[in-house]
Amino acid sequence: MITDRDLPQPWRVMASPIDQDSATQLDAVAGLESGIEDPVSWDLIENKETGRRLMLRMGVDESGIVITGVYVPGPGAVGIGELRNFPLAAIESAVRSRKAASSATLTAAMMAGPDAHEGPLGKPSGPDDNRFYGRLALRYLRVAANSARPATDLAKAEGVTPRTVQRWTARARELGMLPPGRPGRSS
């Protein structure tokens, strides 16, 4: 499923996913099959400036979430220039990032336990201290939601250096408890 946050401007979501009967008809016309082992969704998006609509079939392959089909409903033909401007790669990347972030947050929450935000963070007992790294990840995400420099702000709150928090968050990412960081950014 696609959300408005996954789309670059001026695109917006019209339906995500579209109704199952329409999705089944689109798959049949395209000669595609889907089932429980191949979860897919058809999503309808629209360019607010031009009114052009796209239906994207989102599926899963070995690299993660991918666009497995595109249908451009009328009216009018789609020129090659317009086709090149469809933001398919950006949409696919945004959906993958969102799914990775939610998966990492879920993993962190499971490892952290029910008291993730209580008391001082402390220090890890070792490189595989899942409870510590889960608690760290949840606290980091909470700080990052309101801070341009979450590692620095979390370091101040926990009484450690920003470099220590950066080391810890790198390990939490390796353990799958934080989504990948943004390239070229450190906080």
Side-chain angles (χ1 to χ4, degrees):
M1 290 181 19
I2 297 174
T3 68
D4 282 327
R5 289 189 339 240
D6 299 327
L7 301 175
Q9 288 297 322
W11 293 88
R12 66 179 172 183
V13 172
M14 299 302 292
S16 180
I18 66 170
D19 67 90
Q20 188 58 48
D21 289 338
S22 297
T24 302
Q25 290 174 3
L26 282 169
D27 280 345
V29 167
L32 302 169
E33 293 182 20
S34 62
I36 300 296
E37 66 284 346
D38 178 31
V40 298
S41 73
W42 279 95
D43 302 285
L44 176 63
I45 64 173
E46 178 184 62
N47 183 311
K48 291 184 277 192
E49 293 173 356
T50 66
R52 173 60 78 187
R53 290 184 170 194
L54 293 178
M55 296 182 88
L56 303 177
R57 185 179 194 260
M58 305 300 290
V60 179
D61 72 5
E62 61 278 350
S63 62
I65 296 173
V66 293
I67 296 173
T68 59
V70 178
Y71 174 71
V72 184
V78 178
I80 194 70
E82 183 181 9
L83 190 59
R84 283 187 190 122
N85 289 326
F86 291 160
L88 302 179
I91 293 168
E92 196 173 83
S93 176
V95 172
R96 280 185 188 173
S97 293
R98 181 172 48 83
K99 293 290 186 185
S102 64
S103 176
T105 302
L106 179 62
T107 299
M110 289 189 313
M111 295 299 158
D115 61 347
H117 297 290
E118 294 176 13
L121 189 56
K123 296 186 181 340
S125 63
D128 295 323
D129 185 347
N130 286 332
R131 185 169 185 284
F132 171 83
Y133 288 108
R135 293 177 73 216
L136 166 82
L138 293 176
R139 289 179 187 201
Y140 180 86
L141 291 170
R142 186 179 64 201
V143 171
N146 300 311
S147 172
R149 301 184 56 79
T152 301
D153 293 344
L154 184 58
K156 285 179 186 174
E158 296 296 334
V160 297
T161 67
R163 180 65 191 126
T164 298
V165 171
Q166 289 167 350
R167 256 192 346 270
W168 289 344
T169 57
R171 181 63 184 146
R173 290 182 206 292
E174 290 172 5
L175 294 171
M177 295 183 202
L178 281 173
R182 292 183 291 183
R185 299 266 314 171
S186 79
S187 56

